[in-house]
Amino acid sequence: MSPRATKLKNNFVCQACAHQSPKWLGRCPDCGAWNQMVEERQPAPAARSRSGPGPAAPPVQPHREIATSAHDRQATGLAELDRVLGGGVVPGSLILVGGDPGIGKSTLLLQAAFALAQAGRPVLYVSGEESPGQIKLRADRLGDPPANLSLLCETRVEEILAASEANRPAVVIIDSIQTLAHSEVASVPGSVSQIRECGAALLACAKNKGPAIFLVGHVTKEGVLAGPRVLEHMVDTVLYFEGDRQHGFRVLRTAKNRFGSTNEVGIFEMGGEGLREVTDPSRSFLQERRVGTAGSAIAVSLEGTRPLLVEVQCLTATSYFGLPQRRVSGLDYNRCCLLLAVLERRAGLTLGSQDVYFSVAGGLSVTEPAVDLAVAAAAASSLKDKIIDPETALFGEVGLSGEIRGVTQAPRRCQEARQLGFKRCLLPQAQADHLPPLPGLEIIGVNNIQDVLTILF
Ligand code: TYD
Ligand code: MG
């Protein structure tokens, strides 16, 4: 290390968590990672100093005169993606799509590229990870390649920007930001400073000339996007593509959206020919249900603004070890333990000597409190070995004293249950009182967990 380097401020940055330090450290004091501090190049001092009169004041624009047409959205052709983006891609926006490896990010964006190109919009698909031959192999599974789709296998960001300038695509897709390198940054691709510089260069390109840019981002073990947090602040939209790889269903969620709501989710299913949009998710999640088994309850959950019926399953078995097991998949572990305690204390069910396993069918993950009622009902059903009527759906939050509390969007949840052929719906009493009657669906208001068990069994 040169003596000069130690004099500069914030000269070393951790590749794992972006912690900055004025001196080199073997171990990052923030995240504890070893050998991750890398020296960052400082801008030349001459570039910083300002001599002579300052720059002329830039012209400001009256708010009223700003044309809104610049925000015309372009539908991607994938309705689920459009829904998550808030109705389509805004020209000049920067969209970051994160997700675990192998979840289907490349497939999703290649399909979006196909659909956009088929709709007559020129698309440039840039891959730093795959060769044209590999992309072609994947693309062959998706159908005939449209004429407007161009490929570029490149990792140098300057070259990508030049290609975008020369071809003027409406949308550029970059797979992935972690493979890009800026010639003025010395560190390796994927490092914090590279991601930040490349992100800034792409942002400038998107805001100046107008192509919307999709960036694929890898996530770390902890499930957050790799690289500096500043990248998430820079971009307009952050999407996460999630799902259980053992199951076909994939959920696209918005973590941030400057041009739309963050409440929407898009649901896809991975198949032999790429991703299929799931337009009727409740039906898909319930289709494998085995009617007539104890320990199964149907919850009316809400994903974003969309009601979704999911099957909550529970299995209780006598525990032969000192400490009974609780295993939960697709639900919140602490919430499930709390509901078991409520059942034990408020409804007199002896669950303390039982191993309890919970899961949500279809590999889905639901964390909304509205599924409480179904979780509690499934546990009681398994313990009592009594079947819950298969035409009954439930929703409501369960409080610590066993009371059933109201949740959002009760009417929409009931409508969804009715549409899927359910005959009865158990919901919080306070909300049931205000619901207009729905022909074909019996609405049953419940006040506490004891009522629920009396009605169900
Ligand atoms: P991919 O898009 O490469 O994931 P990512 O870019 O997020 O790493 O998708 C990889 C998985 O998707 C891979 O395991 C194979 C599977 N797949 C299908 O099942 N069907 C298909 O038509 C395609 C293209 C991929
Ligand atoms: Mg990929």
Side-chain angles (χ1 to χ4, degrees):
M1 191 182 14
S2 75
R4 165 147 170 67
T6 52
K7 282 191 201 142
L8 289 170
K9 270 192 113 184
N10 293 343
N11 208 28
F12 290 86
V13 60
C14 172
Q15 300 295 289
C17 71
H19 175 83
Q20 295 192 337
S21 158
K23 64 181 169 65
W24 186 86
L25 298 166
R27 184 168 189 253
C28 171
D30 202 1
C31 70
W34 287 96
N35 276 336
Q36 293 293 321
M37 302 300 279
V38 173
E39 186 173 2
E40 278 217 319
R41 250 177 60 154
Q42 297 287 313
R48 286 185 180 173
S49 67
R50 230 200 270 157
S51 58
V60 294
Q61 209 177 354
H63 183 261
R64 275 195 223 171
E65 290 171 18
I66 299 171
T68 45
S69 60
H71 288 274
D72 277 349
R73 290 169 188 273
Q74 303 173 345
T76 58
L78 289 179
E80 295 293 299
L81 178 60
D82 288 340
R83 166 201 285 275
V84 172
L85 291 173
V89 189
V90 175
S93 61
L94 203 56
I95 302 148
L96 184 61
V97 182
D100 286 335
I103 203 76
K105 303 178 294 294
S106 306
T107 310
L108 174 73
L109 290 181
L110 196 59
Q111 269 181 255
F114 265 55
L116 276 161
Q118 265 152 4
R121 305 202 196 285
V123 180
L124 175 64
Y125 186 96
V126 184
S127 180
E129 298 185 344
E130 292 162 307
S131 68
Q134 287 170 323
I135 300 172
K136 184 89 184 20
L137 262 182
R138 183 202 303 273
D140 285 345
R141 296 166 78 170
L142 305 177
D144 286 336
N148 271 335
L149 174 62
S150 327
L151 292 185
L152 173 68
C153 290
E154 182 57 74
T155 55
R156 289 164 298 176
V157 73
E158 291 90 346
E159 302 287 317
I160 296 169
L161 294 179
S164 163
E165 176 86 333
N167 295 289
R168 300 237 154 227
V171 175
V172 177
I173 295 172
I174 294 178
D175 189 4
S176 65
I177 180 83
Q178 276 85 5
T179 56
L180 295 195
H182 198 290
S183 65
E184 285 172 19
V185 180
S187 51
V188 291
S191 63
V192 170
S193 32
Q194 279 289 10
I195 292 179
R196 196 171 51 205
E197 282 307 312
C198 295
L202 293 167
L203 179 74
C205 165
K207 299 294 166 200
N208 291 339
K209 297 170 204 112
I213 303 182
F214 281 92
L215 300 172
V216 171
H218 295 171
V219 297
T220 60
K221 267 202 310 250
E222 291 76 34
V224 293
L225 278 157
R229 273 260 70 123
V230 65
L231 188 64
E232 285 182 57
H233 293 296
M234 246 188 236
V235 299
D236 298 304
T237 306
V238 180
L239 307 178
Y240 279 97
F241 203 35
E242 312 168 339
D244 185 343
R245 243 182 304 161
Q246 316 310 326
H247 291 87
F249 291 110
R250 302 280 186 274
V251 180
L252 187 64
R253 277 178 215 281
T254 341
K256 163 184 175 180
N257 194 355
R258 286 194 184 139
F259 309 119
S261 142
T262 50
N263 271 334
E264 290 296 348
V265 293
I267 300 174
F268 297 88
E269 189 176 6
M270 182 65 94
E273 278 149 19
L275 292 159
R276 185 180 68 81
E277 296 178 70
V278 180
T279 42
D280 191 356
S282 298
R283 210 174 288 280
S284 312
F285 289 126
L286 293 185
Q287 70 192 8
E288 284 174 19
R289 178 162 73 119
R290 266 193 62 207
V291 173
T293 41
S296 153
I298 303 299
V300 195
S301 170
L302 208 62
E303 276 289 352
T305 56
R306 206 191 236 192
L308 192 64
L309 272 82
V310 291
E311 183 188 358
V312 178
Q313 295 182 323
C314 178
L315 180 70
T316 55
T318 312
S319 175
Y320 292 105
F321 299 101
L323 198 65
Q325 305 272 312
R326 270 90 178 92
R327 293 274 180 271
V328 177
S329 101
L331 294 162
D332 183 47
Y333 177 84
N334 293 327
R335 195 89 207 145
C336 287
C337 292
L338 183 148
L339 291 167
L340 293 177
V342 171
L343 281 173
E344 179 126 18
R345 284 298 308 280
R346 310 287 175 208
L349 302 185
T350 42
L351 286 151
S353 57
Q354 302 281 318
D355 291 337
V356 186
Y357 305 90
F358 282 110
S359 87
V360 176
L364 205 74
S365 172
V366 275
T367 46
E368 219 208 346
V371 298
D372 283 1
L373 205 49
V375 172
S381 159
S382 177
L383 186 76
K384 290 170 179 275
D385 207 13
K386 286 191 181 160
I387 298 161
I388 298 176
D389 170 32
E391 292 186 326
T392 300
L394 313 95
F395 66 88
E397 183 180 344
V398 178
L400 288 188
S401 56
E403 82 278 17
I404 312 297
R405 294 162 173 260
V407 294
T408 54
Q409 311 245 23
R412 285 181 86 156
R413 294 178 200 254
C414 291
Q415 270 160 14
E416 179 80 358
R418 189 184 63 147
Q419 247 169 29
L420 283 154
F422 284 83
K423 298 275 184 289
R424 260 167 307 280
C425 191
L426 263 69
L427 61 150
Q429 181 78 57
Q431 289 184 311
D433 293 343
H434 300 291
L435 270 184
L438 279 172
L441 184 77
E442 187 190 348
I443 289 171
I444 306 172
V446 283
N447 274 320
N448 55 50
I449 195 76
Q450 294 95 323
D451 284 0
V452 178
L453 301 188
T454 320
I455 293 168
L456 289 179
F457 310 111

